[in-house]
Amino acid sequence: MKLSNPNFQADQSLGDYIRLKLSYMGLEVPMGDDEAKTELLKLAGPLFRSHLEQDRFSEHALCPADRRIQDFLDAYLADGKTKPSMDDAAAKLTTQTFILDRAGMARIMSLPSDSNEFHSEIIDSYRIRQGVLHNPRNDRRTTQGVFHIAEGGLSIPDDKIAVPKAVFARLLTEAMRPPAELLRLPFTSHQPKPAELFVSLLLRPVICPEVPGFISQKSMEIRFFAPGNLVSNLDFVETIFGNGGDPHVAEHDAGRDIEHWSGHTGCVVLAPHLIHFTKKELGLPEYGKATERQRRDGMCWKDAAEKYNGGNAFKITCRDSRGVIVTVIADNYFGYCKKEVKTQMSFAANLFGLCEEEHSGGALTFASYDLGEEFSMEQHMSRSRNTLDDLLKLYGSRIDVKPEGHGIDREMPEIIFVPEDARFNLQEQSISWNRGGKDRRIKLLAGRFYLLPSGYKVHIKKQTGGYAWHLIGTVPEGVLCHKPCTVSGGGKSEISKAIVDAMIQGPVFVAEFQRDMDAVEELLQRDYSGRFREGIYGGKRRVSRPILSPERSLGSVIKLFTVSEEYTDEYNNWLRATSDFIKEILFCVKRFYRPAWGADWRSHFSVDLVNGHPGHELKFNNRKLIANYLRVGREKDGSWRIFRVRTDFTASQKIQAADDITASVTVPRGALEFLNPDYTNPSFKMIQNCENYLFQRPDDAVYRGFDKQTEADLATPGTFISNFEPLGPAQVQEIVEDASHFEEYSAPMKQLLSDFAAQARAGDFVVSSAHSRIVDGKPTKNPRYLQKRPDHIHLQKNYLAALGTRLRRLAPLDKPIHFPVNAVVPGRRNNPPDAKNGIPALAVYNPIHYQELPELFMDFISSLTGKSPSTTGAGS
């Protein structure tokens, strides 16, 4: 069968390499129609078999990592040799595994070489147009009763289940003896004699970030073993944490990497067949002979037929202070594999000291502002001490200086450096400044980012859903929103995601046009100079700038009409009594006002006549105005809860710092350069994201077009997907023909499904973001996919962040720079594909306390809407 998925990551050389390794192991190899390769493998067969026999009896059959694990097990279980039904193979790691020594092998091996689907008792797998889809037997799992720990090592928490050493030894022994059907490798499943074997993988997850001049990056080693049927689980963890290479090769031996190895070793064995063993078979005592804790934990039996852990999934771990941890997982649910890596990283970090693994999420956020249509740093912000000459001294080698006095980045020409006195004018489409006594001018273009010497960034952006273009300004110094020590479902992932997909657009309404314009006129003419309480600004009565003055920004006008502790009770009460929608119309007038209009602002605003009567949708220069709204959750009847956001709101620029797993280290102040001088803490915590791909649960993707990021990700080639429905050509054709609903998808998903409907053949599959897996007649609540880290994709954003923050501190590019206010910046290493453009380590200061979160959320909604929390209902 010729496979028709051009995007499946199965390059020919990697497939040939897999076939060679299978042949070396003496197994039947699926060769397809390539007769030359078949003959070559037949000739090499006897040589392969000779070497295989030598390997079986070699003293080096265990690689160094496995030898460390086995030595630990032998010592740990030494007092258990008298346990019943033990033999010479008890609690021994297998020496014969197919080693996944190159990234991508597991992806190819998880499906038949000649078919787009594979089915077994524990999993249904599909080669789909955008990558692979794996649906385990159980679409989700609970953690209740799952965590079992072998006695004899470190202390066992009271909420975990204590297991006798002998029982752990028996479980490990049986884990290495899975049934033949579980060993069957999907890649060879259609062969007359399918390969039955273990596959194994080496991981080197980071447990401590590098801090140049203080500590090198530290990682532990983890060996994964899985029966061939579960090779997709190893593809899953490899995609997230990377491939550590062949553990038999010296350069991949952590024991030889004394600078970067933490000294800790982990082992994970997947064994879903263990749920079928009885307590009696595994050596647990009868109820009358059990201890009080064994009775409480269910580690005993009354009926000889009782299944261990009630026949449910579990994981059992043994570990002690020697720094080796071995876990057997009796399930193939993907989330358990990732959680175990997380647990073993935490174990290693705790023993190593100074560092820790944090279940955390967060993003480096750079506040952005709608600057309207005119902007200059001198007029709107305090003047920076930095000049263009300072910038050229620091980064002159990477800047192409133009005669007009601006510069263009040599690596990313869409980044343009402008002088400190630059003035931006959107109507004139120009940026101007004075150089050498002469006025200079360049064109203001879309798709360009203009960087001032202070690090402040300006670009133009079209309003979503509207016609108007805005000047957007972004601050140079970011804030790291870091949420540490969070359990599953605690919002780690959400805090790191952009808010853009939750924004919708709608018209700006008026009730009665003339009356509402009169009300706006009254607000424009009011005297606001007496609004402050006594003692504010020295008790002096301040002259209030006119609302439409160029010297007053839209943000200051919104502040003027927002209840504040600085204002008198009388003024605050007047604000509360003033109609919110009249204020919104006023903000629109301010947003579009031009000084050239003078007092004639009303002629630029209008409404249509509908059936001879004035309508209710406000227009500016005969074009309908668009307002932004934020969707926050849904009501029980399915309707959205929607809030109008401030007229000048624009989403901050975000660079994802963590989604679930973070390695951190505490560093003394003296070890860091270029710190923010406003903060004098004696030490700081540096964090690093440990994942290459993020295990996302796109709950809102079921609403077509709502989660645009997920739709774009799921339309990307090579994506690992789980718990979605595999759709064939006929099903997709129906989706495409349902025009009214199909149009709701965003462009990437529409393109994917349209192309599939036009090109697919029988036996081809694709996944739609809106069609999660059907379990027991209902869509699963746990759709999943692996998303490539956004900060590894959007290099321009990383580069702009690096330049902006370094300019803010006048820091050279070859020096690490750190900012402690919940934030910071670029380091130099371990951030592929371009270290100098990335942000591998960030410093954290003053993390948010949990009890503050409800109040902070209300403040957040208030900041978006310009209204107090009590009027938005945000607290609910």
Side-chain angles (χ1 to χ4, degrees):
M1 174 183 176
K2 183 175 177 59
L3 303 180
S4 60
N5 182 358
N7 296 325
F8 183 60
Q9 294 181 339
D11 82 26
Q12 189 61 44
S13 61
L14 202 54
D16 290 343
Y17 182 61
I18 292 169
R19 292 178 174 89
L20 278 171
K21 293 197 70 167
L22 287 170
S23 181
Y24 179 83
M25 299 178 73
L27 300 167
E28 191 171 316
V29 179
M31 291 306 302
D33 300 325
D34 197 325
E35 295 181 5
K37 291 177 181 176
T38 302
E39 287 301 316
L40 178 62
L41 286 179
K42 285 181 179 178
L43 287 172
L47 179 63
F48 286 167
R49 285 191 291 275
S50 174
H51 279 276
L52 181 63
E53 289 302 315
Q54 294 177 40
D55 286 348
R56 283 176 176 163
F57 296 101
S58 168
E59 63 181 56
H60 303 296
L62 287 176
C63 66
D66 293 357
R67 173 49 57 194
R68 287 187 275 273
I69 296 166
Q70 191 61 61
D71 287 346
F72 163 75
L73 288 170
D74 291 344
Y76 188 86
L77 301 173
D79 61 351
K81 291 299 182 183
T82 58
K83 50 189 170 290
S85 67
M86 292 297 290
D87 54 40
D88 291 339
K92 298 292 183 183
L93 298 179
T94 178
T95 60
Q96 297 299 311
T97 73
F98 187 107
I99 297 174
L100 301 169
D101 55 346
R102 297 188 185 182
M105 293 172 67
R107 179 72 52 90
I108 298 171
M109 295 167 66
S110 66
L111 284 156
S113 62
D114 58 354
S115 173
N116 286 335
E117 53 188 308
F118 171 77
H119 304 278
S120 70
E121 288 189 2
I122 60 171
I123 196 166
D124 296 304
S125 300
Y126 304 86
R127 182 181 286 109
I128 57 175
R129 182 56 61 98
Q130 63 263 61
V132 290
L133 168 65
H134 297 292
N135 290 338
R137 177 176 55 196
N138 298 296
D139 65 322
R140 54 181 173 157
R141 282 298 195 181
T142 178
T143 57
Q144 185 174 0
V146 167
F147 305 112
H148 301 195
I149 301 177
E151 297 169 341
L154 299 173
S155 59
I156 300 174
D158 191 61
D159 64 333
K160 303 299 186 288
I161 296 175
V163 182
K165 267 189 188 183
V167 175
F168 169 78
R170 181 62 188 276
L171 284 166
L172 179 59
T173 300
E174 297 302 336
M176 290 295 173
R177 296 170 175 171
E181 57 270 21
L182 204 56
L183 288 167
R184 208 156 289 154
L185 188 66
F187 185 68
T188 67
S189 59
H190 291 172
Q191 296 300 110
K193 189 178 180 181
E196 296 175 355
L197 44 66
F198 267 93
V199 286
S200 67
L201 174 70
L202 173 65
L203 302 179
R204 290 292 303 273
V206 174
I207 68 161
C208 176
E210 177 194 28
V211 181
F214 178 73
I215 192 169
S216 299
Q217 177 177 285
K218 305 293 181 183
S219 64
M220 68 178 300
E221 60 179 356
I222 299 178
R223 287 280 282 142
F224 259 84
F225 295 87
N229 221 246
L230 278 68
V231 67
S232 57
N233 288 72
L234 302 197
D235 177 25
F236 173 74
V237 292
E238 175 191 89
T239 304
I240 297 172
F241 299 104
N243 188 305
D246 187 344
H248 287 277
V249 177
E251 65 182 280
H252 301 140
D253 178 8
R256 295 172 179 259
D257 185 13
I258 58 175
E259 182 180 357
H260 300 103
W261 184 37
S262 67
H264 306 94
T265 299
C267 176
V268 182
V269 181
L270 302 183
H273 60 288
L274 294 182
I275 62 172
H276 300 299
F277 282 84
T278 66
K279 297 177 179 180
K280 184 177 181 181
E281 285 178 302
L282 296 174
L284 285 171
E286 190 269 331
Y287 186 85
K289 299 178 181 179
T291 65
E292 184 177 342
R293 178 161 186 170
Q294 286 175 331
R295 292 174 180 173
R296 187 201 71 175
D297 291 347
M299 288 292 105
C300 57
W301 53 272
K302 294 179 179 179
D303 183 343
E306 285 181 40
K307 296 287 183 65
Y308 185 85
N309 200 46
N312 298 315
F314 66 93
K315 73 166 191 173
I316 182 167
T317 297
C318 77
R319 74 281 190 275
D320 67 15
S321 58
R322 282 170 286 193
V324 178
I325 178 169
V326 179
T327 298
V328 178
I329 301 178
D331 200 53
N332 71 322
Y333 176 59
F334 294 118
Y336 281 173
C337 293
K338 181 185 173 185
K339 288 178 184 294
E340 185 53 32
V341 174
K342 193 191 302 187
T343 298
Q344 296 200 358
M345 289 170 58
S346 183
F347 166 79
N350 289 340
L351 288 181
F352 185 78
L354 196 65
C355 64
E356 62 181 319
E357 179 278 322
E358 297 184 325
H359 298 8
S360 61
L364 187 61
T365 61
F366 295 81
S368 295
Y369 300 91
D370 186 337
L371 303 177
E373 298 190 353
E374 293 184 32
F375 171 77
S376 71
M377 290 291 288
E378 290 182 327
Q379 184 176 0
H380 294 96
M381 303 182 72
S382 58
R383 185 183 177 94
S384 168
R385 60 190 175 93
N386 300 2
T387 67
L388 185 63
D389 291 337
D390 295 328
L391 188 154
L392 294 174
K393 286 178 185 177
L394 279 175
Y395 312 131
S397 61
R398 67 187 307 122
I399 298 174
D400 182 13
V401 181
K402 298 297 181 180
E404 294 86 351
H406 66 290
I408 298 177
D409 192 280
R410 297 180 189 274
E411 292 191 15
M412 293 190 177
E414 61 272 23
I415 297 174
I416 299 172
F417 301 87
V418 296
E420 60 275 12
D421 60 341
R423 299 178 298 278
F424 296 80
N425 190 307
L426 188 57
Q427 284 297 307
E428 297 178 1
Q429 200 182 347
S430 69
I431 308 171
S432 58
W433 59 86
N434 186 280
R435 214 67 176 162
K438 294 183 179 180
D439 288 334
R440 310 286 182 173
R441 182 182 297 260
I442 61 174
K443 208 168 198 179
L444 177 63
L445 299 173
R448 305 292 193 275
F449 294 87
Y450 300 93
L451 201 61
L452 289 146
S454 64
Y456 196 85
K457 299 173 279 288
V458 178
H459 72 283
I460 63 174
K461 180 181 178 182
K462 189 176 181 181
Q463 182 182 22
T464 304
Y467 66 89
W469 288 78
H470 300 190
L471 284 170
I472 304 296
T474 303
V475 301
E477 191 165 332
V479 172
L480 179 63
C481 300
H482 181 66
K483 188 174 186 183
C485 308
T486 308
V487 298
S488 295
K492 300 183 296 295
S493 180
E494 285 70 19
I495 196 174
S496 65
K497 294 179 180 177
I499 200 173
V500 175
D501 281 350
M503 305 292 295
I504 59 174
Q505 289 71 44
V508 177
F509 291 106
V510 295
E512 294 183 23
F513 178 72
Q514 294 299 334
R515 186 190 66 188
D516 293 345
M517 293 296 107
D518 291 342
V520 170
E521 184 72 57
E522 289 182 20
L523 296 180
L524 291 174
Q525 300 303 323
R526 181 186 171 92
D527 178 12
Y528 298 93
S529 58
R531 67 187 182 277
F532 292 105
R533 292 181 183 274
E534 290 186 12
I536 302 295
Y537 299 109
K540 297 179 180 179
R541 185 181 180 90
R542 302 183 73 199
V543 176
S544 184
R545 296 163 293 172
I547 288 176
L548 296 182
S549 167
E551 296 181 358
R552 188 183 270 286
S553 68
L554 175 58
S556 73
V557 175
I558 293 174
K559 183 178 180 180
L560 180 68
F561 285 91
T562 303
V563 172
S564 169
E565 293 180 354
E566 295 180 346
Y567 300 154
T568 64
D569 292 340
E570 180 185 5
Y571 184 73
N572 281 332
N573 289 333
W574 175 80
L575 283 178
R576 294 186 182 100
T578 303
S579 169
D580 284 338
F581 89 88
I582 294 295
K583 295 177 191 175
E584 295 293 346
I585 298 172
L586 172 65
F587 299 153
C588 287
V589 171
K590 173 62 181 178
R591 165 71 183 81
F592 292 100
Y593 178 76
R594 305 286 177 272
W597 299 351
D600 181 26
W601 58 268
R602 295 179 70 147
S603 65
H604 296 273
F605 295 89
S606 62
V607 292
D608 290 327
L609 287 177
V610 181
N611 295 329
H613 300 281
H616 301 286
E617 293 187 46
L618 186 63
K619 301 176 74 175
F620 167 68
N621 287 344
N622 288 321
R623 292 176 294 188
K624 289 182 180 180
L625 291 177
I626 299 296
N628 286 315
Y629 298 84
L630 178 68
R631 292 195 282 200
V632 183
R634 297 173 71 88
E635 299 293 343
K636 292 181 180 179
D637 62 2
S639 60
W640 290 99
R641 300 184 70 231
I642 297 175
F643 299 91
R644 170 80 182 272
V645 300
R646 285 173 41 152
T647 307
D648 65 340
F649 172 78
T650 188
S652 64
Q653 297 293 315
K654 278 188 173 184
I655 295 177
Q656 193 165 42
D659 179 79
D660 186 34
I661 307 177
T662 304
S664 68
V665 61
T666 303
V667 182
R669 182 183 185 86
L672 303 173
E673 294 184 280
F674 298 104
L675 285 170
N676 188 326
D678 296 335
Y679 297 88
T680 58
N681 293 54
S683 62
F684 299 95
K685 181 166 65 176
M686 313 301 295
I687 70 168
Q688 179 177 335
N689 193 343
C690 299
E691 304 171 87
N692 295 317
Y693 282 73
L694 314 174
F695 195 32
Q696 300 290 19
R697 188 179 68 196
D699 297 319
D700 291 330
V702 67
Y703 309 109
R704 305 179 198 206
F706 177 70
D707 190 342
K708 296 179 178 61
Q709 183 63 56
T710 291
E711 293 193 8
D713 291 337
L714 290 185
T716 302
T719 305
F720 185 104
I721 303 173
S722 181
N723 285 338
F724 277 83
E725 196 69 14
L727 304 174
Q731 293 166 292
V732 175
Q733 189 64 43
E734 288 187 15
I735 293 172
V736 172
E737 290 174 353
D738 183 6
S740 61
H741 291 102
F742 183 68
E743 285 301 314
E744 295 174 358
Y745 285 112
S746 60
M749 185 55 61
K750 279 198 293 188
Q751 187 68 52
L752 172 72
L753 297 177
S754 296
D755 290 348
F756 183 84
Q759 303 165 7
R761 303 175 304 183
D764 290 349
F765 298 98
V766 74
V767 157
S768 156
S769 54
H771 293 77
S772 52
R773 174 185 177 187
I774 302 300
V775 179
D776 297 329
K778 297 182 295 185
T780 179
K781 294 183 179 180
N782 192 30
R784 294 281 190 167
Y785 76 98
L786 289 179
Q787 177 195 30
K788 189 172 184 179
R789 271 175 54 178
D791 59 313
H792 283 182
I793 298 174
H794 305 300
L795 299 182
Q796 184 189 76
K797 289 172 63 176
N798 297 351
Y799 186 53
L800 278 168
L803 285 175
T805 47
R806 288 175 183 279
L807 281 172
R808 181 84 169 86
R809 297 283 172 231
L810 290 177
L813 284 171
D814 62 344
K815 295 288 186 181
I817 180 170
H818 311 289
F819 290 84
V821 196
N822 288 349
V824 258
V825 241
R828 296 177 298 168
R829 294 176 55 188
N830 306 309
N831 191 29
D834 189 350
K836 64 179 175 294
N837 294 344
I839 301 182
L842 308 167
V844 185
Y845 170 71
N846 281 348
I848 296 170
H849 294 291
Y850 296 122
Q851 59 266 32
E852 298 174 4
L853 290 178
E855 180 179 351
L856 288 169
F857 180 73
M858 289 191 288
D859 289 344
F860 167 68
I861 294 293
S862 178
S863 69
L864 295 182
T865 62
K867 304 177 182 64
S868 64
S870 60
T871 62
T872 64
S876 62

